[in-house]
Each structure stands twice: as C-alpha cells, then as structure tokens.
Amino acid sequence: LKTPKADPNKFGDFVKKNYDFDATVYRHYSDPMVLQHEGIKTYQSDLSNICQSFSSKINALDVCCGTGRFFHCLKNTRNLIGLDFSLNMLKEATHPVNITQADIKSIYLIAADASDMKKLFRADTKFDFIYSIGALGEFIALDLPLLNSLYDLLSKNGKIYITSVKKQPSLRFYVRAALRIILEQVKL
C-alpha cells in the first residue's frame, strides 16, 4: 500500500491526516459499537441481500471503505476492492471487524482518492456491486462526475448502493481534529 504525501494546506489533506491518526481507535472501538446501531443494521442487511441477489459470485467495490467496517456483510463475493484515501485506515482494513461472517474469496486494498476513479481502473474494469456507506457527500462531493464514474465501472446488470451524509462535517469533527493536532504537537 502506498499513498501520496499530504498537503497540509488543503482541507482534504487535513481530513486525511486526522483519519490516519485515528484509524486504530476507529477500528477497535468505533466499528464494534457503531455496528450495533439499528440504522446501521439496515445497511448490513441491505448489503448482504444485494450480494445474495446475484446468481453467481460477484466482484465488488467499496468506495471509501475506511477500516472495512462493512466487509463482513458481503456474501457470494469473488473479489472485493476496498478503496480509501487513508493508508492507516486501509492497514486496519487488513483485519476488519467480524470478517469470519463474510463470504469473500479475495480482498484488495487501494490507497487513493475516490474522486480520481477514472484514473484508478482500466476502461474495461467492471464491478457487479459498488457501494459506499456514510462517506460520500461529506468530504468527497457526491456529484454527477463521481456518479458517472461509478456508473462506468458497473457491469451490465450491476447494482450500486450509496448512503450519503450531510454536506458539511460536524463541529465535533473539527473539535476532535484540533485536539489531535494539539496532542500531536505536545508529543514533540
């Protein structure tokens, strides 16, 4: 896994730095807790049902996969590609929560920005199922160019499942990020 160096002058790089910093806590404490929430259980059920609706093993793409929080929901899956801009989140995704519940032959992780989708895959690359839970629309624009690039990656009878979040990050994110930066500087 390789990732480009962050430019601290860009908002996206600020977000990436904070996700990198928080990846272990996110995976070991947040993932198990969040998966117990009733609304999140709906996503888990939806993902499993969509995968099982295909008559043969599928190729899936998780856009902004983070720690692989939802990998365990996939069934009937030949190959899963997890895409995220945080290298540390992807390191945590090498041992995702509840992975023994999954039916996935192979998992591949790619460190990249989802807004560069057309640069990441060959023109003939197709996925039967593309999904993204709780990331698009917050730090990556959920706009027509992104949706078109996802559609272009979809196989003929493929399916897309996206949940989006509010456009602006919460104040809590900024407070947590500022505290992390302060703590990081204290360690120096």
Side-chain angles (χ1 to χ4, degrees):
L1 299 172
K2 292 185 178 181
T3 189
K5 278 202 153 212
D7 179 349
N9 298 316
K10 295 182 181 176
F11 176 72
D13 291 331
F14 172 78
V15 173
K16 180 187 171 304
K17 180 177 181 177
N18 285 287
Y19 272 106
D20 281 344
F21 184 81
D22 203 25
T24 302
V25 171
Y26 192 89
R27 163 58 186 89
H28 294 281
Y29 299 100
S30 179
D31 282 357
M33 181 178 61
V34 168
L35 291 174
Q36 298 307 311
H37 187 273
E38 286 305 313
I40 300 299
K41 288 181 181 180
T42 300
Y43 302 156
Q44 295 175 75
S45 175
D46 289 348
L47 293 174
S48 292
N49 290 337
I50 291 168
C51 289
Q52 292 173 359
S53 72
F54 291 91
S55 60
S56 59
K57 295 257 185 202
I58 63 170
N59 292 317
L61 172 64
D62 183 342
V63 180
C64 305
C65 70
T67 60
R69 177 179 284 175
F70 294 98
F71 289 2
H72 73 279
C73 303
L74 301 188
K75 314 294 182 214
N76 192 36
T77 303
R78 179 183 321 105
N79 297 305
L80 167 64
I81 293 181
L83 174 69
D84 201 273
F85 69 162
S86 169
L87 186 59
N88 288 351
M89 287 287 201
L90 289 173
K91 286 178 184 175
E92 295 297 328
T94 62
H95 50 279
V97 66
N98 301 332
I99 193 61
T100 58
Q101 297 173 14
D103 175 19
I104 304 170
K105 182 177 179 187
S106 300
I107 299 174
Y108 305 94
L109 302 173
I110 299 175
D113 187 327
S115 62
D116 292 337
M117 205 66 76
K118 289 190 179 205
K119 297 177 187 175
L120 296 175
F121 300 104
R122 295 185 332 225
D124 63 343
T125 300
K126 299 294 179 193
F127 295 94
D128 304 299
F129 182 39
I130 299 171
Y131 71 98
S132 182
I133 309 291
L136 300 180
E138 185 166 7
F139 301 116
I140 297 172
L142 182 56
D143 56 15
L144 191 55
L146 177 62
L147 292 173
N148 282 336
S149 67
L150 293 176
Y151 181 79
D152 290 344
L153 290 170
L154 204 59
S155 66
K156 183 179 178 186
N157 294 311
K159 299 175 183 180
I160 294 179
Y161 182 89
I162 297 172
T163 68
S164 68
V165 296
K166 60 187 172 201
K167 185 98 172 137
Q168 296 298 320
S170 68
L171 177 60
R172 184 181 68 182
F173 171 82
Y174 291 111
V175 170
R176 287 176 58 202
L179 288 172
R180 283 189 200 109
I181 291 168
I182 292 167
L183 289 173
E184 208 172 69
Q185 290 178 2
V186 170
K187 290 179 185 178
L188 298 175

